[in-house]
Amino acid sequence: MAHIGTTLTTFVQQEQRLHPTARGTFTGLLTDIALACKKVASLVHRGALVDVIGRHGGSNNQGEAQEKLDVLADAIFRECLLRNGNTAALASEEHEHLIHPDPGQPRGPYLVAYDPLDGSSNIDVNVTVGSIISVRPAPVDRTPTLADFLQPGTSQVAAAYCLYGPSTQLVLTLGSGVHVFTLDPDIGEFILTRTNAQIPAEAREFAINTSNRRRWDPAVRRWYDECLLGAEGPRGRDFNMRWIASLVAEVHRILTRGGVFTYPVDARLRAQGRTGRLRLLYELAPMALLVEQAGGAVSTGERRLMEVCPTSLHDRVPVFLGASTEVALIEAYHREAATSA
Ligand code: MN
Ligand code: MN
């Protein structure tokens, strides 16, 4: 069992010893991920001093305007993840297609999907942003294809996010518990500062973008309206509301002090031909592994999000994430609405 104060490198080596079948490249992969996070943290924290704030001028494959930092963070992750031969292919929010190592470059046993900079529309107002990372085993003895990435979240062997806030924190699961490492900027090391984060089953806080209320499905409106009625309504207790509009910051709050975060599909998203707002492969699946490993639940409203299989790299799904009894209630309201419809 790792102790508070252990470095990330030592932690991963100790974990690897517990799993005799694990290969040494996993320690290498985690080192690559940590280096990418440290490089992005450095840029984010220097901000306007190094001319990295503002629009890049281009748009990504999903038609979203790219910030300069989206493009820089993506290049940092791509280079760090390909250079040492620990990965066989990558998928990034910023690329329409898979990224393969150049011919002649070494290939490793892992597939990584990542959002290099989440919440980047918050950059110019200096609000917390993050990176999200999802790791799967690569196929043995052949080049990975798109189908190898289009797998449910249950096939992940590790997931992490890095939060660039007042301090930089890397939150990691290798499939047994959730561990929080804080970057010590003086020595450049991630240090274990919290082990086995747990999300209480009952929520006292919820997070939802209420400006979309008129566009929500009836089940979501019912749940939200009942929360607002508080102690005088059917819930019999009061709730607080939070909304940062930065997925990494929202999930980190829930891992720290509980609650529930939601981003449902709504009439406007459907009119745009979208099935949700947040992306399954590199945003929600890794968050789902982390939240479940912390005792929370993650649902699309209809089913466990971890079991949803993407049909493309950039699929979007609705999400209800966090306190398990609250997520179960939201699922029950969806079932009741479907039955009465
Ligand atoms: Mn994102
Ligand atoms: Mn992003």
Side-chain angles (χ1 to χ4, degrees):
M1 187 63 216
H3 298 286
I4 300 296
T6 304
T7 66
L8 175 65
T9 309
T10 304
F11 173 85
V12 176
Q13 285 168 345
Q14 286 172 352
E15 286 287 309
Q16 204 160 260
R17 245 173 262 138
L18 299 176
H19 303 97
T21 53
R23 289 164 282 190
T25 46
F26 195 72
T27 310
L29 176 66
L30 260 294
T31 306
D32 297 342
I33 290 171
L35 179 62
C37 293
K38 285 189 251 187
K39 286 180 174 239
V40 174
S42 164
L43 278 183
V44 167
H45 288 136
R46 286 176 210 225
L49 296 174
V50 286
D51 190 30
V52 293
I53 306 300
R55 287 285 162 85
H56 174 257
S59 59
N60 68 11
N61 59 81
Q62 297 160 77
E64 295 164 328
Q66 284 174 309
E67 303 289 325
K68 287 181 193 169
L69 269 172
D70 285 324
V71 176
L72 291 168
D74 178 66
I76 287 170
F77 267 89
R78 199 177 51 218
E79 197 199 327
C80 288
L81 290 171
L82 290 178
R83 185 166 43 196
N84 297 322
N86 295 314
T87 59
L90 312 176
S92 163
E93 180 189 21
E94 305 300 333
H95 293 267
E96 184 172 1
H97 302 294
L98 294 186
I99 302 162
H100 292 280
D102 289 334
Q105 234 178 334
R107 277 153 207 279
Y110 296 103
L111 305 177
V112 178
Y114 62 92
D115 178 350
L117 199 66
D118 176 69
S120 57
S121 61
N122 280 323
I123 275 286
D124 53 348
V125 286
N126 205 5
V127 169
T128 296
V129 292
S131 304
I132 312 173
I133 302 111
S134 164
V135 181
R136 288 185 166 71
V140 180
D141 297 334
R142 66 174 173 81
T143 303
T145 65
L146 182 60
D148 296 310
F149 278 87
L150 303 184
Q151 301 292 325
T154 48
S155 68
Q156 296 170 104
V157 292
Y161 64 80
C162 190
L163 183 89
Y164 311 112
S167 61
T168 296
Q169 293 192 299
L170 184 69
V171 179
L172 171 71
T173 183
L174 307 179
S176 58
V178 175
H179 309 289
V180 180
F181 298 83
T182 304
L183 181 64
D184 183 336
D186 290 343
I187 59 172
E189 290 268 13
F190 280 107
I191 304 293
L192 185 63
T193 48
R194 187 172 167 218
T195 57
N196 289 313
Q198 286 289 315
I199 300 169
E202 301 285 340
R204 296 154 161 271
E205 293 179 336
F206 64 86
I208 190 164
N209 183 349
T210 62
S211 67
N212 292 318
R213 182 186 177 281
R214 68 188 185 283
R215 308 180 174 115
W216 292 338
D217 291 344
V220 179
R221 233 175 0 228
R222 174 185 173 192
W223 167 74
Y224 168 76
D225 289 348
E226 289 184 2
C227 287
L228 285 202
L229 289 170
E232 290 91 66
R235 300 301 305 275
R237 60 195 172 91
D238 290 340
F239 291 84
N240 247 322
M241 203 194 88
R242 293 287 182 274
W243 184 254
I244 311 173
S246 177
L247 175 66
V248 174
E250 304 273 8
V251 171
H252 194 68
R253 184 188 63 250
I254 287 167
L255 277 169
T256 306
R257 63 176 200 210
V260 65
F261 165 82
T262 76
Y263 212 121
V265 64
D266 62 37
R268 183 174 57 172
L269 289 169
R270 287 201 184 96
Q272 296 167 346
R274 288 178 171 174
T275 47
R277 175 69 185 82
L278 297 170
R279 272 62 58 98
L280 177 56
L281 186 70
Y282 44 78
E283 288 180 323
L284 294 176
M287 290 310 198
L289 182 58
L290 286 157
V291 168
E292 286 194 357
Q293 281 297 318
V298 185
S299 174
T300 64
E302 263 129 39
R303 56 190 294 211
R304 183 182 171 216
L305 187 138
M306 284 274 276
E307 292 170 1
V308 180
C309 195
T311 59
S312 82
L313 289 183
H314 305 287
D315 271 13
R316 299 167 190 258
V317 287
V319 64
F320 303 89
L321 162 165
S324 58
T325 56
E326 205 63 30
V327 173
L329 181 71
I330 294 167
E331 279 189 330
Y333 284 7
H334 278 83
R335 274 195 304 275
E336 284 174 35
T339 314
S340 65

